[in-house]
Amino acid sequence: MLEPEWEAKFEPNSFGFRIGRSAHDAIEAIFDSINKKSKWVLDADISKCFDMINHDYLLQKLKTSPTLGRVIKAWLKAGWVFEGNKEDSDFGTPQGSVISPLLANVALHGMENRMTQLAKSLRGNKFKNQSSLTFVRYADDFVCLHPDKEVIDKAKVILQEWLKEVGLEVSDRKTRVTHTSSGFDFLGFNIRQYKVGKHKSGKSRNGNRLGFKTLIMPSKDKTKKHYEKIADVISSHSSAPQKALVLRLNPIIRGWANYYSTGVSKATFAKLDHLIWQRMTRWCKRRHHNKSAKWVNAKYFRIINGRSWVFSDGIFSLTSHAEVPIVRHTKVKGNKSPYDGDLPYWAARLGKHPLLPVSVSKLFKSQNGKCNHCGLTFRDGDVWEIDHIIPRSLGGGNGYANLHLLHRHCHDTKTASDGSLRRTDDKGQIIEEPNEAKVSSSVLKTSGSRERVT
């Protein structure tokens, strides 16, 4: 009840703990802000955000129904029990609960609007590029960007005053003012503008060379921690079978590489893969110190899909960071929300949607959002239905290879001409194929068998 309401209100550059938004959207928002211009940066963190939120401020801001308001208030004031001792909770929201991230976002809602007001107040005075003030927040971490340092200093003071009303304050230890040419870390990425020659320089919107290029890559700290984690796993599996080590490492490598696959990460990936290969060779030699290097290499390394020196037993192979392709992330549009009814947009963006059957989402994504019969793009308000390419009555299978997504009218046209078994009404008019000929789903179905999305 609360989430759909507040998703319609939340500010466009708020990305943390929100459905359909991610850290990559926040990074892309920063890139869009500084790609064509260098700026000063306020890189800040809110101290003890979940622990210190003012309950009265939060409840007043929610303005929900009296019944729900009483429930939330009782939940906030309930306290907790630890080792038999009950502790009261006079402020803050309990971490780990489902609703805490939403309430934290509600409490912090308005920060971007306050920065917009600051930008408007700059019009007509000595500051230039007033519209260049950008505010990006991910949960309790945020950055504010502007070409003038004086504006950033003023923004810092204003935000500190604004947060006092919420019962919060900016962490001095984690807050700093820097410049994009010096770089800063945000959400695990390092964002920096590097001076380059004219042949590598980025260009402004009017085609002039900027003299720098904006690069976003994994931060040194996160890269170091990732490698240390891998090293610890290898050390703790000194006597484990090769398969066990591979199965333990693969999710760690793949997950980290996927997160950073939207940045300029090829060099970092290659360096990590080389360091891991060195550790693996030492791991192998320690296990067989009395064997020759040739024997050890033949036992533990293979050539897989053209890649040499792959740590593999012939069945289970260690994945590499470099295997993960670098793909540019597309930022979510402004105030878009999964609750706004634009199913085509969210199905194409996420590959899934809370209101869509999984089968429909997969087919939508594989077809690039287009009907396989007429070739037109699915739009909001269209009715989509799953159809068998080769009817089951003619021997077609029920797997995804034999399924596609069609407009309802295209589905009816195809069904009338492809030899499918069809059900008719009393007047002999075709209604639809029988139940056994369609993918079953209990979500958003029409009468009968066809999956329908409106």
Side-chain angles (χ1 to χ4, degrees), residues 428-440:
Q429 298 295 318
I430 297 173
I431 300 176
E432 59 186 4
E433 297 183 26
N435 289 351
E436 63 270 20
K438 291 295 165 188
V439 179
S440 62

Side-chain angles (χ1 to χ4, degrees), residues 194-203 209-213:
Y194 293 85
K195 290 184 179 180
V196 294
K198 65 178 183 178
H199 298 296
K200 294 186 177 180
S201 172
K203 294 183 179 180
R209 298 188 187 278
L210 299 171
F212 64 81
K213 193 172 185 65

Side-chain angles (χ1 to χ4, degrees), residues 102-148:
L102 173 61
L103 293 181
N105 274 330
V106 171
L108 297 175
H109 173 69
M111 295 179 72
E112 184 178 352
N113 182 56
R114 184 65 187 88
M115 290 296 95
T116 301
Q117 293 175 6
L118 171 61
K120 290 180 179 179
S121 71
L122 299 175
R123 293 175 181 170
N125 62 18
K126 65 178 181 178
F127 298 111
K128 298 179 180 180
N129 302 311
Q130 294 87 351
S131 61
S132 296
L133 181 63
T134 302
F135 181 85
V136 178
R137 181 174 67 84
Y138 188 90
D140 57 350
D141 293 327
F142 64 86
V143 293
C144 188
L145 308 108
H146 193 273
D148 294 289

Side-chain angles (χ1 to χ4, degrees), residues 45-48 160 163-164 167-171:
D45 176 81
I46 301 173
S47 179
K48 299 180 180 178
Q160 286 174 328
L163 286 169
K164 284 181 181 178
L168 301 172
E169 61 182 5
V170 174
S171 172

Side-chain angles (χ1 to χ4, degrees), residues 140 162 175 178 257-258 261 304 320 379:
D140 57 350
W162 189 92
T175 299
T178 185
N258 281 333
S261 64
I304 307 292
S320 69
R379 300 190 179 279

